[in-house]
Amino acid sequence: MQIKKGFKISFLFTLLIFAAQSCITTDKTVGEKYVPEDQYLKIALDSFALPLKIKSADSVQTASTAYMAIGSIRTEEFGLAKFGSAANICPSSTALDFGEDPQIVSIYMLAPLAETSSYSTMERTSIYFDQSQSNIVQNFHVYRLNRYIDSSMLFHNSIKESDYSPVPLNMNEVVYAGGDSIKIYLDNSLGAELLTATDEELDTISRFVKRFGGLYITSDEPIGSDIGGRLNLFSRSATVIYMKYNFKPTWGENLERKDTLVSFVFGDSYCLNTISLSSKGVESNNTSLKELPVEGSAGVTPYIDAQELKSIIDNWIAEKGYDPSKIVVGKATLTFPFEFPEDFSEIDNKYPPYLFPVQRRNINDTTFIKYYYPFSDNSSTDNPLGEINRSTGNYICDFTSTVQQLIANDASEIDDTYNIWLYPIVQETDATYGTTSIVIDQVSYFNGKINGPGAERYPMMAILYTVLND
């Protein structure tokens, strides 16, 4: 295996510059002859090509407290991608009382487009790959779920066709052209049914949703085989179902019926976004490709088999004659270069702002449910988090602690949780406590590309390390 030397030269050059800028001259050779040679620390920097493949993510968690992702996009590279959002219908207050003899007048849903926030690195809430698609007309449909959304429905493929009625609830054709909100009038039969809720059901959300279930919102795909489309991110917490009805007043005699308005929310605390993709055929085990796609969502993305990466590391250790227990990693980074497209605006429209290695593992020690999580190397904001560099054309990610584990552990201890998906991520800051967390970007969609192992500027891993003495 060939070890790349470029990084080592650059590192030593940096040390020379640092020494030259020092105002105080220090003779570092003083006492050197009294130190045995076997007590010297070895510090070096080596790099390796990464064995990247193309693989689809499997069962991505898409429950979202913030965004309803609705729309469809067709591309030449990936085909058709469809997005929908479902949630339980929940009373906005447990103090609702419909009064005597309530009769439905109208019911509609109002969903505002989400806004970008200083608390997140999410850059767009209207996603399209060509400016001409920013205001195209899309037809929306609202369907009644045959069941309520429970804790077992967590993933992009959790809702099946059998889970909702094939007949739309929206009374008229609903068109959306990319405005700041969408208003959808629903069939009065839904309102009439909601008015039959008992006091016990209105007082307890769990009872209410078990009886009345929820709604599922989708959009039509682009006409025919047209390339284009748009994905719209609406604010879940600001989406409200308004129901107007009248009732018979009981506080006097011979009073006319009185109109009133009550509201319901779209999901008690979250919605479930669904994704249907056509890109499975893009997958490849070829580790010599010159170009690799980045689709995001539950689509295809660059992938590294942990056992293959472990084998590269073990071969390097053997060739160097190192004892793996003596290797201490000071810094390890993954670099993923990309070539600039002819139209530079595609960087903003198609490429994720952040790309970072993620793993698929159990959400806790008591369940077999698996989520995708960024590797723990993102724990420090001082480490490179895979932010796109528009000057040098690459993404650089810190991978120090994981590489240390890959060196120290035997191959039999490297399980599937070490497999690497290169995935779009976002940074989110808690508005109350100010803490920042890194999570996968489960609602955006991209059509970016990075260089593959066969490219001149190929993806690589660099390790700055020390070998301890016995």
Side-chain angles (χ1 to χ4, degrees):
M1 178 184 65
Q2 183 178 1
I3 306 298
K4 311 299 178 183
K5 302 295 185 182
F7 281 101
K8 185 182 294 185
I9 294 172
S10 175
F11 175 67
L12 294 173
F13 182 66
T14 301
L15 291 178
L16 290 173
I17 292 176
F18 179 78
Q21 290 177 340
S22 176
C23 297
I24 301 175
T25 303
T26 302
D27 186 355
K28 296 182 181 296
T29 64
V30 174
E32 183 181 66
K33 64 182 179 178
Y34 300 109
V35 179
E37 288 187 6
D38 62 357
Q39 295 300 307
Y40 284 119
L41 286 176
K42 176 181 177 60
I43 300 176
L45 183 63
D46 290 329
S47 62
F48 318 86
L50 291 171
L52 286 160
K53 305 175 183 179
I54 305 173
K55 188 177 177 67
S56 298
D58 178 33
S59 295
V60 175
Q61 68 270 21
T62 51
S64 176
T65 60
Y67 301 107
M68 301 154 50
I70 306 168
S72 61
I73 295 177
R74 182 183 286 114
T75 63
E76 293 180 355
E77 295 84 355
F78 303 133
L80 179 64
K82 299 175 66 176
F83 305 84
S85 190
N88 294 321
I89 304 170
C90 301
S92 58
S93 169
T94 56
L96 280 181
D97 184 347
F98 295 142
E100 185 173 330
D101 189 28
Q103 302 292 325
I104 185 67
V105 175
S106 64
I107 183 169
Y108 65 89
M109 171 185 286
L110 184 63
L113 192 69
E115 298 179 355
T116 55
S117 168
S118 59
Y119 297 108
S120 174
T121 55
M122 183 77 69
E123 294 191 348
R124 295 190 299 161
T125 55
S126 185
I127 298 168
Y128 45 84
F129 300 144
D130 187 285
Q131 187 62 36
S132 65
Q133 304 296 299
S134 61
N135 296 113
I136 60 168
V137 173
Q138 294 175 301
N139 293 323
F140 279 27
H141 306 282
V142 180
Y143 300 95
R144 183 72 181 277
L145 289 175
N146 299 327
R147 57 171 298 175
Y148 69 97
I149 295 176
D150 59 25
S151 58
S152 69
M153 303 174 73
L154 301 168
F155 305 104
H156 79 278
N157 51 6
S158 289
I159 293 182
K160 314 300 181 186
E161 286 190 13
S162 59
D163 290 329
Y164 60 93
S165 169
V167 180
L169 267 180
N170 43 287
M171 293 182 62
N172 304 302
E173 185 178 71
V174 180
V175 295
Y176 176 65
D180 58 5
S181 65
I182 185 169
K183 187 175 185 179
I184 306 175
Y185 279 92
L186 304 173
D187 193 284
N188 278 354
S189 62
L190 173 63
E193 184 179 346
L194 295 177
L195 287 173
T196 66
T198 65
D199 290 341
E200 290 78 10
E201 290 166 341
L202 291 172
D203 285 343
T204 309
I205 289 179
S206 60
R207 290 182 179 179
F208 187 92
V209 300
K210 283 182 180 180
R211 177 181 170 190
F212 296 102
L215 303 176
Y216 180 38
I217 310 171
T218 68
S219 80
D220 284 346
E221 60 191 64
I223 298 173
S225 58
D226 287 356
I227 300 299
R230 187 180 61 242
L231 171 58
N232 315 281
L233 304 184
F234 295 94
S235 171
R236 185 215 58 86
S237 61
T239 295
V240 180
I241 300 168
Y242 292 100
M243 183 173 69
K244 183 179 180 181
Y245 71 98
N246 59 50
F247 64 96
K248 183 179 178 181
T250 58
W251 54 82
E253 295 182 359
N254 301 319
L255 296 177
E256 293 185 359
R257 297 181 68 84
K258 181 177 177 61
D259 286 348
T260 190
L261 188 71
V262 296
S263 63
F264 301 84
V265 295
F266 191 69
D268 179 32
S269 58
Y270 70 94
C271 62
L272 179 65
N273 293 312
T274 65
I275 308 170
S276 174
L277 301 169
S278 307
S279 55
K280 186 76 172 176
V282 180
E283 289 186 330
S284 174
N285 288 322
N286 188 343
T287 56
S288 60
L289 296 173
K290 293 185 177 181
E291 194 174 73
L292 303 171
V294 178
E295 187 178 16
S297 295
V300 290
T301 191
Y303 169 82
I304 302 174
D305 184 287
Q307 288 296 335
E308 293 184 19
L309 184 59
K310 171 63 174 172
S311 178
I312 290 174
I313 290 174
D314 285 351
N315 289 340
W316 163 68
I317 293 173
E319 288 181 9
K320 289 287 190 177
Y322 295 151
D323 178 349
S325 67
K326 304 296 184 183
I327 300 174
V328 178
V329 179
K331 191 75 169 178
T333 56
L334 307 181
T335 300
F336 302 99
F338 62 85
E339 304 305 322
F340 292 101
E342 293 184 7
D343 182 356
F344 196 78
S345 67
E346 290 187 6
I347 297 294
D348 295 321
N349 293 334
K350 295 184 176 183
Y351 285 66
Y354 291 83
L355 275 178
F356 198 83
V358 306
Q359 60 183 158
R360 188 168 184 250
R361 57 179 172 81
N362 292 347
I363 60 176
N364 55 49
D365 295 333
T366 61
T367 179
F368 293 107
I369 297 175
K370 296 181 182 293
Y371 275 7
Y372 287 89
Y373 296 96
F375 277 87
S376 59
D377 305 87
N378 72 79
S379 57
S380 171
T381 54
D382 295 329
N383 295 336
L385 294 174
E387 184 174 7
I388 189 170
N389 191 319
R390 291 172 170 82
S391 299
T392 58
N394 60 32
Y395 297 87
I396 299 178
C397 313
D398 186 86
F399 211 50
T400 303
S401 63
T402 303
V403 169
Q404 184 71 73
Q405 295 172 40
L406 289 170
I407 290 173
N409 293 338
D410 186 78
S412 62
E413 300 175 276
I414 305 302
D415 58 20
D416 290 348
T417 62
Y418 285 91
N419 290 335
I420 301 165
W421 282 263
L422 188 61
Y423 210 89
I425 61 169
V426 291
Q427 300 181 61
E428 295 182 348
T429 303
D430 187 288
T432 302
Y433 300 102
T435 55
T436 298
S437 58
I438 311 298
V439 296
I440 66 168
D441 183 350
Q442 57 181 244
V443 294
S444 297
Y445 189 64
F446 300 99
N447 189 6
K449 297 169 183 162
I450 65 167
N451 291 358
E456 183 175 347
R457 296 172 61 227
Y458 49 83
M460 64 170 58
M461 175 174 65
I463 307 176
L464 175 64
Y465 62 96
T466 295
V467 179
L468 301 177
N469 296 316
D470 294 330

